[in-house]
């Protein structure tokens, strides 16, 4: 099974990974995992002052802050892990990945915000749930 792990480096990501690692009976062993993170896009005005190499380096460095501990965690558990870095809106990045790569399951940590807060601020979880046709497992 190909499992997409939506990660942002927060404590919710750590809780999600710990839950998966301690519940092998839920998903079983031997799956292929892809961790996806999205880095906020640099404003168009900033691109006039910074070179493309600097901007690309920024995106890479920010994604690596998220991916490095996840790679170590996965290696300790002998998971087959790939990473995918996107830029911009996290929901759009996840949906685009799902449409192109067709994972069997998405696993996300959730902040557990109230419905009112989700309406006011929006939520990656809410956005993925509303737009995705792949099963989503939420870990709270």
């Amino acid at each position: 099974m190909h499992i997409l792990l939506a990660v942002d480096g927060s404590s919710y990501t750590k809780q999600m990974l710990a839950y998966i690692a301690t519940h092998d009976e839920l998903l079983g062993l031997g799956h292929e995992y892809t961790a996806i993170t999205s880095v906020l896009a640099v404003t168009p005005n900033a691109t006039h002052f910074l070179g493309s190499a600097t901007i690309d380096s920024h995106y890479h460095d920010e994604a690596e802050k998220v991916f490095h501990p996840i790679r170590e965690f996965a290696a300790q558990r002998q998971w087959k892990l790939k990473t995918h870095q996107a830029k911009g809106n996290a929901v759009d990045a996840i949906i685009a990945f799902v449409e192109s790569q067709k994972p069997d399951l998405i696993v996300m940590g959730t902040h557990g915000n109230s419905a009112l807060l989700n309406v006011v601020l929006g939520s990656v979880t809410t956005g993925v749930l509303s737009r995705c046709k792949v099963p989503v497992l939420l870990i709270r």
Side-chain angles (χ1 to χ4, degrees):
M1 182 179 340
H2 181 202
I3 300 170
L4 180 63
L5 304 172
V7 298
D8 63 4
S10 70
S11 62
Y12 304 102
T13 293
K14 293 174 188 171
Q15 290 172 348
M16 177 216 17
L17 293 171
Y19 185 87
I20 293 171
T22 58
H23 290 85
D24 288 335
E25 74 280 0
L26 181 65
L27 299 174
L29 300 173
H31 299 295
E32 177 185 320
Y33 293 93
T34 301
I36 184 172
T37 195
S38 185
V39 178
L40 292 176
V42 174
T43 63
N45 290 339
T47 62
H48 295 292
F49 301 103
L50 303 170
S52 62
T54 301
I55 293 170
D56 291 343
S57 177
H58 164 74
Y59 289 135
H60 174 77
D61 292 348
E62 291 301 306
E64 280 305 307
K65 289 178 188 175
V66 174
F67 289 145
H68 181 73
I70 293 170
R71 281 192 193 101
E72 289 182 349
F73 186 87
Q76 291 173 353
R77 281 142 191 90
Q78 299 178 346
W79 290 356
K80 297 174 192 170
L81 178 73
K82 295 178 185 176
T83 57
H84 180 78
Q85 166 192 334
K87 65 180 177 182
N89 180 282
V91 174
D92 292 340
I94 293 167
I95 297 303
F97 183 90
V98 167
E99 289 174 352
S100 69
Q101 300 299 311
K102 310 284 191 238
D104 300 301
L105 176 68
I106 302 170
V107 181
M108 303 177 70
T110 181
H111 298 213
N113 292 334
S114 69
L116 178 60
L117 190 58
N118 283 341
V119 169
V120 174
L121 298 178
S123 166
V124 173
T125 303
T126 303
V128 170
L129 287 172
S130 67
R131 294 176 51 193
C132 190
K133 297 177 182 168
V134 172
V136 179
L137 173 63
L138 300 177
I139 307 295
R140 184 171 168 190

